[in-house]
Amino acid sequence: MELDLAAAEMKAVLNRLRRAQGQITGVIRMIEEGRDCEEVVTQLAAASRALDRAGFAIIASGLQQCLAEMEPDGRSGRNDQDGQDGQDGAGRAAGRETPEQMRAKLEKLFLSLA
């Protein structure tokens, strides 16, 4: 699945990622300086939340794209890059995913962030 974010969504995701990057840099510096454990953990938690929110925004955009690209017969118009022999696991022609397959793929991505 290709990542195709609108300009506003892209800006928001990049801002969250940059915020997380700054927070992680701060955590590293705090550890090197021997700062208080509670302060370090607080900053680490903030970085983790920023990464989670960026990931959730990307997954939400992906879900929106998948729904928008769904064809009238209920299949996705996207190509399946996993099928090497032209068949999917159930023997159907590769290149089109059912809504259930797309949902399972997005659910797996979502749960990887949990």
PDB file of all heavy atoms in Angstrom, residues 78-89 91-97:
ATOM      1  N   ARG A  78      -6.131  -1.891  -5.955  1.00  0.00           N
ATOM      2  CA  ARG A  78      -4.681  -1.918  -5.777  1.00  0.00           C
ATOM      3  C   ARG A  78      -4.110  -3.272  -6.150  1.00  0.00           C
ATOM      4  O   ARG A  78      -4.740  -4.302  -6.012  1.00  0.00           O
ATOM      5  CB  ARG A  78      -4.314  -1.644  -4.315  1.00  0.00           C
ATOM      6  CG  ARG A  78      -4.633  -0.242  -3.924  1.00  0.00           C
ATOM      7  CD  ARG A  78      -3.934   0.055  -2.625  1.00  0.00           C
ATOM      8  NE  ARG A  78      -3.996   1.457  -2.339  1.00  0.00           N
ATOM      9  CZ  ARG A  78      -3.122   2.336  -2.751  1.00  0.00           C
ATOM     10  NH1 ARG A  78      -2.103   1.975  -3.450  1.00  0.00           N
ATOM     11  NH2 ARG A  78      -3.244   3.604  -2.445  1.00  0.00           N
ATOM     12  N   ASN A  79      -2.850  -3.272  -6.586  1.00  0.00           N
ATOM     13  CA  ASN A  79      -2.138  -4.512  -6.881  1.00  0.00           C
ATOM     14  C   ASN A  79      -1.607  -5.116  -5.610  1.00  0.00           C
ATOM     15  O   ASN A  79      -1.138  -4.427  -4.737  1.00  0.00           O
ATOM     16  CB  ASN A  79      -0.964  -4.240  -7.828  1.00  0.00           C
ATOM     17  CG  ASN A  79      -1.444  -3.900  -9.208  1.00  0.00           C
ATOM     18  OD1 ASN A  79      -2.526  -4.302  -9.606  1.00  0.00           O
ATOM     19  ND2 ASN A  79      -0.642  -3.140  -9.931  1.00  0.00           N
ATOM     20  N   ASP A  80      -1.652  -6.430  -5.513  1.00  0.00           N
ATOM     21  CA  ASP A  80      -1.090  -7.156  -4.383  1.00  0.00           C
ATOM     22  C   ASP A  80       0.349  -7.496  -4.713  1.00  0.00           C
ATOM     23  O   ASP A  80       0.607  -8.294  -5.599  1.00  0.00           O
ATOM     24  CB  ASP A  80      -1.908  -8.430  -4.133  1.00  0.00           C
ATOM     25  CG  ASP A  80      -1.431  -9.206  -2.920  1.00  0.00           C
ATOM     26  OD1 ASP A  80      -0.457  -8.758  -2.276  1.00  0.00           O
ATOM     27  OD2 ASP A  80      -2.026 -10.252  -2.636  1.00  0.00           O
ATOM     28  N   GLN A  81       1.286  -6.894  -4.010  1.00  0.00           N
ATOM     29  CA  GLN A  81       2.701  -7.101  -4.294  1.00  0.00           C
ATOM     30  C   GLN A  81       3.218  -8.430  -3.735  1.00  0.00           C
ATOM     31  O   GLN A  81       4.314  -8.848  -4.051  1.00  0.00           O
ATOM     32  CB  GLN A  81       3.521  -5.951  -3.689  1.00  0.00           C
ATOM     33  CG  GLN A  81       3.097  -4.581  -4.197  1.00  0.00           C
ATOM     34  CD  GLN A  81       3.275  -4.429  -5.690  1.00  0.00           C
ATOM     35  OE1 GLN A  81       4.231  -4.940  -6.253  1.00  0.00           O
ATOM     36  NE2 GLN A  81       2.349  -3.760  -6.340  1.00  0.00           N
ATOM     37  N   ASP A  82       2.429  -9.101  -2.892  1.00  0.00           N
ATOM     38  CA  ASP A  82       2.906 -10.332  -2.258  1.00  0.00           C
ATOM     39  C   ASP A  82       2.760 -11.553  -3.162  1.00  0.00           C
ATOM     40  O   ASP A  82       3.485 -12.526  -3.026  1.00  0.00           O
ATOM     41  CB  ASP A  82       2.146 -10.599  -0.953  1.00  0.00           C
ATOM     42  CG  ASP A  82       2.429  -9.519   0.081  1.00  0.00           C
ATOM     43  OD1 ASP A  82       3.497  -8.897   0.020  1.00  0.00           O
ATOM     44  OD2 ASP A  82       1.561  -9.327   0.946  1.00  0.00           O
ATOM     45  N   GLY A  83       1.772 -11.531  -4.046  1.00  0.00           N
ATOM     46  CA  GLY A  83       1.520 -12.713  -4.873  1.00  0.00           C
ATOM     47  C   GLY A  83       2.578 -12.854  -5.947  1.00  0.00           C
ATOM     48  O   GLY A  83       2.733 -12.003  -6.795  1.00  0.00           O
ATOM     49  N   GLN A  84       3.323 -13.959  -5.928  1.00  0.00           N
ATOM     50  CA  GLN A  84       4.383 -14.147  -6.905  1.00  0.00           C
ATOM     51  C   GLN A  84       3.931 -14.994  -8.078  1.00  0.00           C
ATOM     52  O   GLN A  84       4.480 -14.924  -9.150  1.00  0.00           O
ATOM     53  CB  GLN A  84       5.598 -14.793  -6.243  1.00  0.00           C
ATOM     54  CG  GLN A  84       6.223 -13.894  -5.211  1.00  0.00           C
ATOM     55  CD  GLN A  84       7.428 -14.545  -4.567  1.00  0.00           C
ATOM     56  OE1 GLN A  84       7.841 -15.634  -4.946  1.00  0.00           O
ATOM     57  NE2 GLN A  84       8.001 -13.886  -3.597  1.00  0.00           N
ATOM     58  N   ASP A  85       2.920 -15.786  -7.888  1.00  0.00           N
ATOM     59  CA  ASP A  85       2.490 -16.676  -8.951  1.00  0.00           C
ATOM     60  C   ASP A  85       1.184 -16.225  -9.594  1.00  0.00           C
ATOM     61  O   ASP A  85       0.580 -16.952 -10.359  1.00  0.00           O
ATOM     62  CB  ASP A  85       2.333 -18.112  -8.423  1.00  0.00           C
ATOM     63  CG  ASP A  85       1.282 -18.220  -7.335  1.00  0.00           C
ATOM     64  OD1 ASP A  85       0.709 -17.181  -6.934  1.00  0.00           O
ATOM     65  OD2 ASP A  85       1.025 -19.361  -6.893  1.00  0.00           O
ATOM     66  N   GLY A  86       0.750 -15.006  -9.271  1.00  0.00           N
ATOM     67  CA  GLY A  86      -0.490 -14.510  -9.839  1.00  0.00           C
ATOM     68  C   GLY A  86      -1.724 -14.982  -9.098  1.00  0.00           C
ATOM     69  O   GLY A  86      -2.827 -14.683  -9.489  1.00  0.00           O
ATOM     70  N   GLN A  87      -1.544 -15.736  -8.037  1.00  0.00           N
ATOM     71  CA  GLN A  87      -2.663 -16.219  -7.239  1.00  0.00           C
ATOM     72  C   GLN A  87      -2.461 -15.807  -5.794  1.00  0.00           C
ATOM     73  O   GLN A  87      -1.352 -15.768  -5.302  1.00  0.00           O
ATOM     74  CB  GLN A  87      -2.738 -17.754  -7.289  1.00  0.00           C
ATOM     75  CG  GLN A  87      -2.955 -18.317  -8.666  1.00  0.00           C
ATOM     76  CD  GLN A  87      -4.391 -18.158  -9.117  1.00  0.00           C
ATOM     77  OE1 GLN A  87      -5.302 -18.359  -8.343  1.00  0.00           O
ATOM     78  NE2 GLN A  87      -4.582 -17.779 -10.361  1.00  0.00           N
ATOM     79  N   ASP A  88      -3.556 -15.517  -5.110  1.00  0.00           N
ATOM     80  CA  ASP A  88      -3.440 -15.249  -3.680  1.00  0.00           C
ATOM     81  C   ASP A  88      -3.584 -16.573  -2.933  1.00  0.00           C
ATOM     82  O   ASP A  88      -3.692 -17.628  -3.538  1.00  0.00           O
ATOM     83  CB  ASP A  88      -4.457 -14.202  -3.217  1.00  0.00           C
ATOM     84  CG  ASP A  88      -5.893 -14.685  -3.286  1.00  0.00           C
ATOM     85  OD1 ASP A  88      -6.116 -15.889  -3.537  1.00  0.00           O
ATOM     86  OD2 ASP A  88      -6.792 -13.861  -3.072  1.00  0.00           O
ATOM     87  N   GLY A  89      -3.600 -16.508  -1.614  1.00  0.00           N
ATOM     88  CA  GLY A  89      -3.649 -17.718  -0.805  1.00  0.00           C
ATOM     89  C   GLY A  89      -4.900 -18.545  -1.020  1.00  0.00           C
ATOM     90  O   GLY A  89      -4.916 -19.738  -0.774  1.00  0.00           O
ATOM     91  N   GLY A  91      -6.386 -18.851  -4.017  1.00  0.00           N
ATOM     92  CA  GLY A  91      -6.479 -19.279  -5.400  1.00  0.00           C
ATOM     93  C   GLY A  91      -7.111 -18.261  -6.325  1.00  0.00           C
ATOM     94  O   GLY A  91      -7.308 -18.524  -7.492  1.00  0.00           O
ATOM     95  N   ARG A  92      -7.454 -17.079  -5.791  1.00  0.00           N
ATOM     96  CA  ARG A  92      -8.010 -16.029  -6.643  1.00  0.00           C
ATOM     97  C   ARG A  92      -6.884 -15.295  -7.329  1.00  0.00           C
ATOM     98  O   ARG A  92      -5.765 -15.285  -6.873  1.00  0.00           O
ATOM     99  CB  ARG A  92      -8.825 -15.058  -5.788  1.00  0.00           C
ATOM    100  CG  ARG A  92     -10.093 -15.677  -5.228  1.00  0.00           C
ATOM    101  CD  ARG A  92     -10.850 -14.654  -4.416  1.00  0.00           C
ATOM    102  NE  ARG A  92     -10.084 -14.216  -3.269  1.00  0.00           N
ATOM    103  CZ  ARG A  92     -10.244 -14.675  -2.035  1.00  0.00           C
ATOM    104  NH1 ARG A  92     -11.122 -15.599  -1.787  1.00  0.00           N
ATOM    105  NH2 ARG A  92      -9.526 -14.203  -1.036  1.00  0.00           N
ATOM    106  N   ALA A  93      -7.200 -14.657  -8.428  1.00  0.00           N
ATOM    107  CA  ALA A  93      -6.187 -13.885  -9.143  1.00  0.00           C
ATOM    108  C   ALA A  93      -5.667 -12.775  -8.241  1.00  0.00           C
ATOM    109  O   ALA A  93      -6.437 -12.074  -7.606  1.00  0.00           O
ATOM    110  CB  ALA A  93      -6.785 -13.289 -10.414  1.00  0.00           C
ATOM    111  N   ALA A  94      -4.345 -12.662  -8.184  1.00  0.00           N
ATOM    112  CA  ALA A  94      -3.732 -11.630  -7.362  1.00  0.00           C
ATOM    113  C   ALA A  94      -3.940 -10.273  -8.010  1.00  0.00           C
ATOM    114  O   ALA A  94      -4.242 -10.171  -9.178  1.00  0.00           O
ATOM    115  CB  ALA A  94      -2.242 -11.917  -7.192  1.00  0.00           C
ATOM    116  N   GLY A  95      -3.742  -9.232  -7.241  1.00  0.00           N
ATOM    117  CA  GLY A  95      -3.866  -7.894  -7.770  1.00  0.00           C
ATOM    118  C   GLY A  95      -5.075  -7.163  -7.231  1.00  0.00           C
ATOM    119  O   GLY A  95      -5.197  -5.975  -7.399  1.00  0.00           O
ATOM    120  N   ARG A  96      -5.962  -7.878  -6.567  1.00  0.00           N
ATOM    121  CA  ARG A  96      -7.141  -7.235  -6.012  1.00  0.00           C
ATOM    122  C   ARG A  96      -7.412  -7.830  -4.648  1.00  0.00           C
ATOM    123  O   ARG A  96      -7.475  -9.035  -4.495  1.00  0.00           O
ATOM    124  CB  ARG A  96      -8.310  -7.444  -6.946  1.00  0.00           C
ATOM    125  CG  ARG A  96      -8.000  -6.832  -8.324  1.00  0.00           C
ATOM    126  CD  ARG A  96      -9.090  -7.008  -9.271  1.00  0.00           C
ATOM    127  NE  ARG A  96     -10.244  -6.281  -8.776  1.00  0.00           N
ATOM    128  CZ  ARG A  96     -11.372  -6.184  -9.432  1.00  0.00           C
ATOM    129  NH1 ARG A  96     -11.499  -6.776 -10.583  1.00  0.00           N
ATOM    130  NH2 ARG A  96     -12.383  -5.531  -8.936  1.00  0.00           N
ATOM    131  N   GLU A  97      -7.575  -6.945  -3.668  1.00  0.00           N
ATOM    132  CA  GLU A  97      -7.831  -7.409  -2.307  1.00  0.00           C
ATOM    133  C   GLU A  97      -9.298  -7.219  -1.959  1.00  0.00           C
ATOM    134  O   GLU A  97      -9.911  -6.237  -2.354  1.00  0.00           O
ATOM    135  CB  GLU A  97      -6.978  -6.612  -1.320  1.00  0.00           C
ATOM    136  CG  GLU A  97      -5.498  -6.837  -1.492  1.00  0.00           C
ATOM    137  CD  GLU A  97      -4.675  -5.967  -0.567  1.00  0.00           C
ATOM    138  OE1 GLU A  97      -4.991  -4.772  -0.439  1.00  0.00           O
ATOM    139  OE2 GLU A  97      -3.727  -6.493   0.009  1.00  0.00           O
TER     140      GLU A  97
END
